[in-house]
Amino acid sequence: MPGATNFKDCAVLESVVKKQAADGRLYAAVCASPAVALGSWGLLKGLKATCYPSFMEQLSSCATAVESIVQQDGKVVTSRGPGTTMEFSVALVEQLYDKEKADEVSGPLLLRPNHGDEYKVIELNPMEWKCNNIPQILVPIADGSEEMEAVMIIDILRRAEANVVVASVGDNLEILASRKVKLVADMLLDEAAKLSYDLIVLPGGLGGAQAFANSDKLVNMLKKQAESNKPYGAICASPALVLEPHGLLKGRKATAFPAMCNKLSDQSFIDNRVVVDGNLITSRGPGTSMEFALGIVEKFFGRPKALELAKVMLFVH
């Protein structure tokens, strides 16, 4: 919200979706949108649907409301919120292609086997992650960064009310992520480097990780962070392609994207979804991004705060 209301009030969108439904073609919505948009347009009459919990009463006036993670009825697919979006997206792939294609797409995403269970973070050598009141966090992005990882890290840390600076490792504020989604940074890395951070955390994506590894400025910032015993982290390709080659995993336990784990010198903890070792946090891929970001929230704000956010996003029951 208010995105779903803006959808509802957009006459062009309403006519497009109504034509889609009239033509017997697939249409779908997640979070508030099933109730606020599809329901208001009369496109859920007599159909089973789900939505974000606080909109279920509104949904029940225009559909048969159910509490499924993903609900399909005829040509409409609905889902509940941020924490169910991956399952929702994979369900759409299955509808558009087939189960085989959905499995092919979902495998490398590393989705959780048991949605709704409390997430686990493996922690070794526990230490307090300190900050002055509000954590200052740097999230670099570059052409080829994995957009799901970048956006989930930024989104969840901002939900926790950390101050997140998104910096472009390149010449432009706008980057083209790995699946051709355009992301716009707050500033260029040159500007961001003038500030100090309680945490520097790298999203993955092959092209983005390579750009990070080739940025002397970013690598030097990471080395200074490590030398100062301040937190730093990476997910997916970045532990293997950025941290490992620059000696930032030396003597540490870490994980990475499965296909990249052979590049890690210590592979004893690679099967864990999130690994914290002192001031280092690493994780595996898009499907572990929420756990990764929640693990960071937990280190700065405590587990109750992280679980509270996880429940609001419908990531845990």
Side-chain angles (χ1 to χ4, degrees), residues 138-301:
L138 176 66
V139 181
I141 57 172
D143 287 337
S145 284
E146 168 42 68
E147 47 268 73
M148 279 195 280
E149 294 164 0
V151 170
M152 278 192 260
I153 292 164
I154 295 161
D155 176 286
I156 292 168
L157 294 177
R158 285 183 173 166
R159 283 174 190 256
E161 299 184 348
N163 182 33
V164 180
V165 173
V166 182
S168 170
V169 178
D171 299 326
N172 304 303
L173 288 177
E174 186 179 282
I175 66 101
L176 191 64
S178 60
R179 299 299 178 272
K180 310 305 178 194
V181 173
K182 292 176 181 176
L183 301 177
V184 181
D186 301 315
M187 62 184 75
L188 298 178
L189 185 67
D190 282 353
E191 189 68 22
K194 296 172 185 174
L195 306 169
S196 66
Y197 300 96
D198 300 303
L199 170 72
I200 301 174
V201 59
L202 312 179
L206 188 59
Q210 288 167 337
F212 297 159
N214 293 332
S215 168
D216 290 341
K217 187 174 287 285
L218 179 58
V219 169
N220 286 333
M221 289 175 75
L222 285 162
K223 285 181 174 176
K224 283 180 185 169
Q225 194 82 359
E227 286 160 10
S228 306
N229 210 28
K230 293 172 78 174
Y232 61 102
I235 187 171
C236 196
S238 289
L241 297 185
V242 187
L243 302 186
E244 177 71 40
H246 289 104
L248 291 161
L249 296 182
K250 194 172 182 182
R252 300 302 188 91
K253 306 297 184 187
T255 188
F257 190 70
M260 295 278 173
C261 282
N262 60 351
K263 297 182 186 297
L264 302 184
S265 50
D266 184 338
Q267 298 174 23
S268 57
F269 275 74
I270 59 171
D271 291 332
N272 295 288
R273 293 173 69 84
V274 183
V275 178
V276 177
D277 189 347
N279 60 331
L280 169 71
I281 184 167
T282 54
S283 189
R284 309 212 76 187
T288 69
S289 299
M290 278 201 169
E291 290 138 281
F292 180 56
L294 289 165
I296 293 168
V297 172
E298 189 171 323
K299 286 303 297 177
F300 281 118
F301 299 97

Side-chain angles (χ1 to χ4, degrees), residues 90-121:
V90 171
L92 295 180
V93 173
E94 184 172 345
Q95 290 302 309
L96 292 165
Y97 295 89
D98 53 31
K99 180 74 164 65
E100 187 180 353
K101 184 70 169 179
D103 290 343
E104 178 193 325
V105 169
S106 66
L109 292 179
L110 305 171
L111 279 100
R112 286 189 302 163
N114 301 308
H115 184 278
D117 286 359
E118 275 201 24
Y119 69 94
K120 289 177 185 172
V121 174

Side-chain angles (χ1 to χ4, degrees), residues 66-77:
V66 295
E67 293 189 359
S68 311
I69 293 169
V70 179
Q71 179 63 47
Q72 183 207 341
D73 193 345
K75 290 292 183 179
V76 64
V77 183

